[in-house]
Amino acid sequence: MRISVKKVRAITAMKFQTLLNNTGVMLGPILALGFVFVIKNIMPDVDVNNEGVSFSTNAFALSFGIIFNIAIAGISMSSAPLAEEKEKNTLRVLMTSSVNGLEYLIGTLLPPFLLLILVNLLMIPVSGSSFGNIPFGTFFIMTTAASLISLIIGYIIGIFSKNQAQASLLSMPITLLLTSVPAVKLFQEDLSAILDYTYTGVLTNYVNGIVSESGYIWNATDISVLIGWLAAALGIFVYAYKKNGLDR
Amino acid sequence: MTFVSLDQVMKEEAHRIILKNVDLVIGESSHIGIKMSNEESVMLFDLITGRIPPSSGHIYRETESIFSQMKDEGLYDSLTVQSYLKFFKELADYPDPLEESIAAFSLLDVWGTKIKKLTDDQKRRVSLFRMSLFSPDVLLIENPLDNLSGEGIELYLKAVEHVRSGITATVITSNSIEDLLLLTSEIYRYNQAAGLEKTDLFAEETDDILMQKKESEAFKPNRVFKVTCKLADKTIFFSPDEIDYIESVNSVSHLRINEEYFPTDLTMNDLEEKLHTFGFFRCHRSYLVNLQRVSELISYSKNSYTLILKGHPNVKVPLSRTRLEEMKQLLDF
C-alpha cells in the first residue's frame, strides 16, 4: 500500500481542526489536567517512606493525571472519532476519495498523539513536580509508548463499533480497568504484582520511582510489558483491520 | 469512449437478490438516470466503483476515476465550507483556486460558514463541489433532489450543469422519475424480473408540427368516458377526475391514482384524444396531466418546467418548453 505524504499531511491538518472542535473528546485531557490541579490543591502535601510503604502527593497526582490522560483521553481520542466517521458516513467519503486505509490511520493518529504528549508534559508542572527532578528522556519514552498503546486500543474499539454509543460502551470497562490501577496498587497489595503487567501499572511504578529517593531504573519486566502490550495491541489491530476494514 | 459497462450483473446479499439482470453502458458525457430503491442504488454504486464484486456477470471498467455521493453521506460539521473544500482540494491535487468555482455552486454566501449551519440544499451542493474537485470521469449520485426546496433544485441543476461541462458521465438514481427527468437525458427503471428498462423519452416536436397537428384534429366532445385497466381477471374503470396524471413507460400508459399506478391498453395518443375534453393536457410526450389537479408551475431553469399537483407536493410532472405556450392559452395566465 503506497502512502502519499501530501494526503497524510492534509488529513492531519483536517483532523487537528475537528479534534479541537470536538468537545466530547477534548474533555478528557482537560479533565485530566483539572483533576490533577484539584488533587494537588486539596490533598495534604505528604511525602512518606516508612517500612517499605511510600506515598507522595506529587507522585499520586502525577500518576493519576498521566493515567487519566493516557487511558481515558487516549482511548476516546481514537475510538470516538473513528466511530463518529463511520456513523456519519464521512469515512466512506474519504475512502472513496483516493485515500487509503494507511494514509487515513497515520493522518488521524498524529493529532491525538501529539496532543497526548503535550498534556503528559504539562502534567509535570500542574502536579507540583518540576522538570529538573524528572528524567525527561525516560518520562518521554515511557508516556509516549503508553499513549501509543492507548491510541491503538482505541482504534481497535473504533473498528468494532458501528457508532459512537457503541464505542463508548466498549471503551468503558477497558478504561475503568486501566485507570483504577494506581488506586488498586495502593490499597490492594495482593493485586499489585498482577497489575505490574499492565502498561498503566508500569506507568504507576515509574512515577512512584522517579519521586522516590532511589529514583527509577529501567528494568527488563517494565520494558517487556510495554513492548508486549504494544505488540499485542498492534497484532489485534492488524487482525481487526484485515477482518473488518475501516468503514464497515 | 465507454467508461464502465455492466453485463448481466447480479448481486445477492444475505441470501437475497438485490440486483439482477443489470446491463448498462456508461459512456463519455452520458447522463443516465435510474429509478430504483435506496438499497438497490447503494449496491449498484458499490459494484460500479469496485467496492464489492458482483455475484455473477461482468463489470468492465476503463477508468478508476469514479466517485459516488450517497444520500446519507455526512460532511465534517465542525469545518467551514472553505476548510472542508480546501481539504479535499489537497487530496484531489486540484490545480485551480477554489474561488473560481464558488459561483457555479452558489456557495459564496456560506463560504466561511460551518457546515453544521448549512441547509440541506447547500450541503448537497458542497458535496457536488467536493466531487468535482477530483475531475471525475464517472459521477454516481443518489437521490440528489430529495427533500430539496424549489430554489435548492434550481441551484443544484445549475451546479450539475457546471460539473458536466467536460466529459464527465453522470449516473443518478432516484425514487422519483420526475426528478430524473430534470437531471438526466436517458432514463431507466429497475425491476428485478427484467433488469433495467429504458423509459420512453421522445424527441420534442417543434411548435410548427404541434400546431399543424392540433389544427387537423377535430374537436369531439365526450360526455361519458371511463378509462379501463385490466388487472389479472378483472377490469377496473376509472373516472377521468380520479386520475392525477398518465405516464408512458416502455410504450405502456400508466394511470397514476393517488399513490398507485395502473396500466391501461390505451395509447397516450388515444388517451389524449379522449381525455382532452375532461381537462387533460399533454404536458410532455410521456405525460398527460389532469389540469384540475395542477397547483403550481415551477421553472428550475430556462428550459425546464415542472408541474406540482394539488396535495402531492413531492410529485413533479415535467412540462415541455414547447407546450408551455399552449398551456398558458388553455389556462389563460
Side-chain angles (χ1 to χ4, degrees), chain B residues 150-164:
Chain B
E151 292 76 21
I153 292 174
E154 191 177 335
L155 295 175
Y156 193 87
L157 292 177
K158 186 181 145 200
V160 167
E161 280 311 308
H162 174 75
V163 175
R164 282 171 173 168

Side-chain angles (χ1 to χ4, degrees), chain B residues 20-33:
Chain B
K20 197 178 163 190
N21 301 326
V22 177
D23 289 303
L24 183 68
V25 176
I26 306 169
E28 197 176 292
S29 305
S30 56
H31 306 314
I32 298 168

Side-chain angles (χ1 to χ4, degrees), chain A residues 6-12 14-15 17-18 21-22 85 88-99 104 247-248, chain B residues 42 45-46 49 51 66-68 70 72-80 83-84 87-88 90-93 114 130 134:
Chain A
K6 198 175 174 184
K7 285 180 187 171
V8 171
R9 208 173 50 211
I11 295 168
T12 305
M14 185 275 285
K15 276 288 163 185
Q17 282 189 63
T18 53
N21 283 314
N22 190 334
E85 290 231 49
K88 294 185 176 171
N89 294 315
T90 48
L91 185 56
R92 184 192 159 103
V93 172
L94 267 189
M95 293 290 122
T96 54
S97 301
S98 75
V99 171
Y104 173 80
D247 58 336
R248 261 172 268 164
Chain B
V42 171
F45 286 2
D46 281 348
T49 52
R51 271 169 63 90
I66 305 172
F67 290 82
S68 62
M70 307 311 295
D72 61 353
E73 83 172 26
L75 309 170
Y76 294 106
D77 286 345
S78 58
L79 299 182
T80 62
S83 48
Y84 179 81
F87 166 56
F88 280 96
E90 284 181 51
L91 290 184
D93 215 1
K114 284 196 174 182
R130 183 200 74 230
F134 292 87

Side-chain angles (χ1 to χ4, degrees), chain A residues 3 25 31 50-51 64 98 123 138-139 143 147 167 192 204 209 224 245:
Chain A
I3 297 174
V25 171
L31 276 179
N50 288 330
E51 296 170 2
F64 177 86
S98 75
M123 213 62 82
T138 319
F139 180 86
T143 53
S147 301
S192 183
T204 311
S224 309

Side-chain angles (χ1 to χ4, degrees), chain B residues 255-285:
Chain B
L255 314 181
R256 154 98 184 199
I257 294 155
N258 294 322
E259 302 295 318
E260 291 181 273
Y261 286 92
F262 299 89
T264 172
D265 291 337
L266 295 167
T267 66
M268 286 296 272
N269 286 340
D270 291 342
L271 286 164
E272 183 186 10
E273 191 184 324
K274 288 178 175 166
L275 291 170
H276 181 62
T277 49
F278 292 95
F280 277 72
F281 172 64
R282 191 78 176 263
C283 55
H284 187 278
R285 279 306 299 257

